Amino acid sequence: MTNNVKKVAILTAGGLAPCLSSAIAALIERYTEVAPEVEIICYVGGYKGLLEGKSITVTPEMRKNIAVLYKHGGSPIGNSRVKLTNIKDCVKRGLVQEGQDPQKVAADQLVKDGVDVLHTIGGDDTNTAAADLAAFLKTNNYALTVVGLPKTIDNDVYPIRQSLGAWTAAEEGAKYFANVVGEHNANPRMLIVHEVMGRNCGYLTAATAAEYRKLLDKMEFVPGMGLSRERKEIHAVYIPELAFDVVKEAERLRKIMDEVDNVNIFVSEGAGVETIMKEMEARGEEIPRDAFGHAKLDAINPGAWFAKQFAKMLGAEKTLVQKSGYYSRAAASNPADKELIIKCADKAVDCAMQGIGGVIGEDENKNNELRACEFERIKGGKPFDTDQAWFNDLLAAIGQPKGEKVEVKH
């Protein structure tokens, strides 16, 4: 390990995930362990803070208490959705002046701050932005290493086997629904739709459903007075990667409604989005989009659309749509995620000290070796593998036909 690194910077960006606070702590702990002389700063508000030159210096007192971050969710240094290659948006936000290149502004700020290594913690948008910045730095002879950590509860980053925070998000989403499902006995013929985050990938919806059923396995019931597993069971799981016949599914679920007086559906927020957007455009409505060009799913509201489709066909008297995303993504890391985060952070620091850039993760194309995956290989939108045994066991357990695979548009 070489030791020519004098100053490093950390930033978090994109949406929240249950790993950001822990990843910051793990990076700072590792540097303190192997190179305590290295100065550390944190840019406030992700790439926005980098463009504005706003940063926090990590003091000895902060290092001493940094383990406290493991107990918290969110990001203490703040996030933002800023894309450095979206010049128009950066100008509109007042982050750069007309005629300026945000990448050059960012690079110049890093040089001004004396940064040798930039650690980015974020999802595919954050790390593709980091990739663009790394390429710009290399092309323009800036001597700086960029090392990313893969954060996304969607778990959809190529070629990373497991993204940080996804395990915790599934576990927390299951806990959330364990309370929500209690609403089934507040009204007769109740339809409950649990909308789970996941734009193009159904991993989190499937994993949350699997975690919830683990909770069910531990519960005790009194069927004779209505407290039965059947009423708290998941009755359908809909994800972007699998098509389903609405009419046939309605027939199946109607039988369940008639028998147990309620139906519980898990749906990925990305399922059915193309259909919903076509309906909106046909009505002359504009599709709201973010700086990265993604449709804003909270405006499209897939959960409400699914509820509307099924409520009439199932003869539901009451429909409830609940979203666990903001609850689950702001949680503190669970033990499994914390272990993975620390392992990845240790590798990130080791690579940084050797001048090796990339995104740290278990590389699916290299026998799941933990390494710095080359930036040019990093991209989002990796579909959930619906052939995995645990997922097929889940569908079989709830009596749902698997459906045909579909190609998800990104």
Side-chain angles (χ1 to χ4, degrees):
M1 180 182 292
T2 59
N3 194 13
N4 57 356
V5 176
K6 296 180 181 179
K7 189 173 185 178
V8 304
I10 300 171
L11 66 78
T12 58
L16 296 183
C19 66
L20 297 175
S21 189
S22 291
I24 295 167
L27 286 170
I28 293 173
E29 283 185 335
R30 181 62 173 173
Y31 274 112
T32 302
E33 177 187 356
V34 301
E37 74 284 355
V38 171
E39 184 180 352
I40 303 172
I41 64 171
C42 298
Y43 286 110
V44 180
Y47 288 111
K48 177 178 183 291
L50 172 56
L51 290 174
E52 294 176 332
K54 293 181 179 180
S55 63
I56 298 169
T57 298
V58 179
T59 65
E61 187 66 19
M62 291 178 187
R63 291 188 190 226
K64 180 181 176 182
N65 297 294
I66 206 65
V68 171
L69 268 61
Y70 289 117
K71 301 177 182 180
H72 293 268
S75 172
I77 59 177
N79 286 20
S80 65
R81 290 187 180 276
V82 172
K83 187 174 184 179
L84 298 180
T85 54
N86 190 336
I87 299 175
K88 183 177 180 181
D89 182 65
C90 288
V91 171
K92 181 180 178 181
R93 292 173 180 236
L95 300 176
V96 298
Q97 300 298 315
E98 193 75 48
Q100 286 186 310
D101 181 347
Q103 288 188 308
K104 186 175 188 308
V105 174
D108 288 343
Q109 186 63 51
L110 290 165
V111 171
K112 179 182 178 181
D113 291 337
V115 173
D116 301 302
V117 175
L118 173 64
H119 287 289
T120 58
I121 309 169
D124 58 294
D125 287 333
T126 298
N127 285 309
T128 51
D132 292 337
L133 180 57
F136 180 89
L137 292 167
K138 183 177 180 180
T139 301
N140 292 277
N141 299 313
Y142 287 84
L144 190 143
T145 304
V146 182
V147 183
L149 288 174
K151 168 243 50 160
T152 173
I153 58 177
D154 294 354
N155 195 30
D156 67 341
V157 178
Y158 289 102
I160 307 296
R161 184 187 71 85
Q162 184 69 31
S163 296
L164 310 182
W167 285 328
T168 304
E171 185 178 277
E172 293 296 322
K175 293 176 184 177
Y176 178 92
F177 188 72
N179 276 6
V180 169
V181 74
E183 291 289 329
H184 75 269
N185 50 32
N187 295 276
R189 300 190 71 83
M190 184 79 166
L191 171 61
I192 301 178
V193 177
H194 179 197
E195 183 181 316
V196 183
M197 284 186 168
R199 179 178 295 276
N200 298 311
C201 178
Y203 165 83
L204 184 60
T205 302
T208 303
E211 287 296 323
Y212 173 68
R213 296 197 80 250
K214 289 178 185 178
L215 295 180
L216 280 179
D217 290 341
K218 299 176 182 178
M219 292 181 188
E220 295 181 313
F221 302 97
V222 186
M225 63 182 304
L227 184 58
S228 66
R229 174 164 180 150
E230 289 75 18
R231 300 195 73 187
K232 290 197 171 187
E233 183 60 89
I234 301 168
H235 302 120
V237 177
Y238 301 128
I239 59 176
E241 292 85 353
L242 294 176
F244 67 95
D245 187 312
V246 175
V247 175
K248 288 184 178 180
E249 273 295 278
E251 291 174 355
R252 181 179 73 85
L253 296 175
R254 177 79 185 227
K255 292 177 182 178
I256 295 172
M257 179 71 85
D258 292 342
E259 181 179 348
V260 302
D261 204 40
N262 68 284
V263 165
N264 307 315
I265 297 175
F266 276 45
V267 58
S268 168
E269 66 178 354
V273 164
E274 291 298 320
T275 299
I276 301 170
M277 288 198 300
K278 286 179 181 178
E279 289 184 4
M280 292 176 68
E281 289 172 338
R283 295 193 298 266
E285 297 178 29
E286 184 178 351
I287 307 298
R289 297 183 182 276
D290 63 19
F292 292 85
H294 302 316
K296 293 184 177 180
L297 295 179
D298 56 345
I300 294 173
N301 209 353
W305 183 84
F306 270 88
K308 182 180 179 181
Q309 300 302 308
F310 280 114
K312 186 175 182 179
M313 290 187 283
L314 302 187
E317 291 188 22
K318 176 74 174 180
T319 301
L320 176 68
V321 180
Q322 291 288 287
K323 305 179 182 184
S324 60
Y326 291 108
Y327 175 87
S328 61
R329 77 178 196 171
S333 307
N334 69 9
D337 258 320
K338 182 180 176 182
E339 181 180 350
L340 180 61
I341 290 164
I342 291 173
K343 184 167 67 171
C344 289
D346 286 354
K347 186 68 174 180
V349 173
D350 293 346
C351 288
M353 298 297 283
Q354 297 175 61
I356 301 172
V359 179
I360 305 300
E362 295 170 329
D363 193 332
E364 291 182 313
N365 300 132
K366 296 185 182 294
N367 298 315
N368 292 326
E369 175 189 352
L370 183 65
R371 60 187 299 275
C373 302
E374 295 77 9
F375 277 117
E376 57 268 22
R377 296 172 58 220
I378 300 297
K379 64 176 181 176
K382 181 176 71 174
F384 169 56
D385 180 6
T386 59
D387 290 330
Q388 294 181 81
W390 67 265
F391 178 65
N392 287 298
D393 289 345
L394 166 66
L395 294 184
I398 66 175
Q400 178 179 338
K402 185 174 181 179
E404 297 295 323
K405 289 186 179 180
V406 297
E407 183 178 351
V408 181
K409 294 182 180 180
H410 307 304

